[in-house]
């Protein structure tokens, strides 16, 4: 089960918690950068939307990943998400859906998707700067996404900060999220990139 917090970054030119916070910089274990693009899909009868999820083909540098997400719950300010996420590497969306059950995805949903006419909803293109953190009893990833999302020729910005639990204590993870939100006066981003795209 994936758990994460998302916050809006109102002015990225003035926001650098790694440089401005000795607490955060002390937690950094590893860092990296990814050039990411994603195409989002649904069926004509909005099967994925009705499951409160998302289906996408994502490119991370030179790797293609198919990802199916099904929402489970949300927390304070709508920023905390607990959801099921299944993904596998695949060159195209159909091959990925065929392989998703081996990654634990529900077989019945994948069968329906394989029989359905998939519709392209829109796409995102952004750069992700990520930092692997070790905090008390948990390991998590802090990421900053900068880019754009596109639907029907309309473009919206992506500028957000994300904290995702990788392993360990959920209580410690929640405590770190609360600490970051208070320290930097962060505003929750309750909408996913897909939800924001659909609002364009």
């Amino acid at each position: 089960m994936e758990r994460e917090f998302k916050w809006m970054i109102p002015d990225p030119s003035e926001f650098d918690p790694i440089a401005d916070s000795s607490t955060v910089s002390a937690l950094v274990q590893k860092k990296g950068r990814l050039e990411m693009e994603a195409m989002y899909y649904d069926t004509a009868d909005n099967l994925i939307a009705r499951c409160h999820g998302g289906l996408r083909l994502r490119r991370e540098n030179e790797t293609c990943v198919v990802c199916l997400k099904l929402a489970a719950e949300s927390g304070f300010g709508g920023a905390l998400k607990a959801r099921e996420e299944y993904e596998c590497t695949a060159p195209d969306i159909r091959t990925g859906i065929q392989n998703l059950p081996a990654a634990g995805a529900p077989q019945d949903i994948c069968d329906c998707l394989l029989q359905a006419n998939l519709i392209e909803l829109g796409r995102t293109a952004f750069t992700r700067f990520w930092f692997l953190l070790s905090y008390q009893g948990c390991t998590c990833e802090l990421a900053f996404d900068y880019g754009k999302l596109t639907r029907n020729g309309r473009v919206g910005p992506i500028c957000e900060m994300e904290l995702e639990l990788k392993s360990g204590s959920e209580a410690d993870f929640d405590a770190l999220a609360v600490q970051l939100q208070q320290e930097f006066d962060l505003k929750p981003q309750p909408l996913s990139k897909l939800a924001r795209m659909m609002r364009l």
Side-chain angles (χ1 to χ4, degrees), residues 106-135:
Q107 184 71 55
D108 57 343
I109 292 180
C110 292
D111 288 343
C112 288
L113 291 174
L114 285 171
Q115 297 172 21
N117 178 30
L118 295 179
I119 299 172
E120 295 181 0
L121 298 179
R123 65 179 64 231
T124 58
F126 57 97
T127 300
R128 166 166 290 187
F129 301 92
W130 61 268
F131 301 83
L132 190 66
L133 309 180
S134 179
Y135 176 77

Side-chain angles (χ1 to χ4, degrees), residues 71-149:
E73 65 182 77
S74 63
F76 73 86
L80 174 62
K81 305 289 186 182
R83 59 190 177 194
E84 302 171 15
E85 179 175 355
Y86 312 99
E87 60 181 38
C88 62
T89 57
D92 57 76
I93 192 70
R94 292 284 180 183
T95 303
I97 294 172
Q98 290 175 345
N99 297 336
L100 280 174
Q107 184 71 55
D108 57 343
I109 292 180
C110 292
D111 288 343
C112 288
L113 291 174
L114 285 171
Q115 297 172 21
N117 178 30
L118 295 179
I119 299 172
E120 295 181 0
L121 298 179
R123 65 179 64 231
T124 58
F126 57 97
T127 300
R128 166 166 290 187
F129 301 92
W130 61 268
F131 301 83
L132 190 66
L133 309 180
S134 179
Y135 176 77
Q136 297 184 15
C138 72
T139 299
C140 49
E141 181 181 290
L142 180 67
F144 302 90
D145 294 345
Y146 304 106
K148 62 184 180 180
L149 46 86

Side-chain angles (χ1 to χ4, degrees), residues 9-78:
I9 302 178
D11 188 351
S13 64
E14 299 181 1
F15 186 77
D16 188 352
I18 306 302
D20 298 340
S21 170
S22 59
T23 301
V24 175
S25 61
L27 300 176
V28 174
Q29 303 295 309
K30 187 179 180 181
K31 61 183 179 180
R33 170 182 171 140
L34 289 171
E35 296 295 331
M36 304 178 72
E37 295 180 359
M39 174 67 76
Y40 292 81
Y41 298 86
D42 206 339
T43 63
D45 60 352
N46 300 315
L47 171 64
I48 297 299
R50 287 189 284 112
C51 293
H52 304 287
L55 175 66
R56 68 188 182 193
L57 175 64
R58 183 179 72 235
R59 183 182 63 79
E60 300 178 354
N61 291 345
E62 302 304 320
T63 303
C64 289
V65 178
V66 171
C67 178
L68 173 66
K69 294 188 177 185
L70 303 175
E73 65 182 77
S74 63
F76 73 86

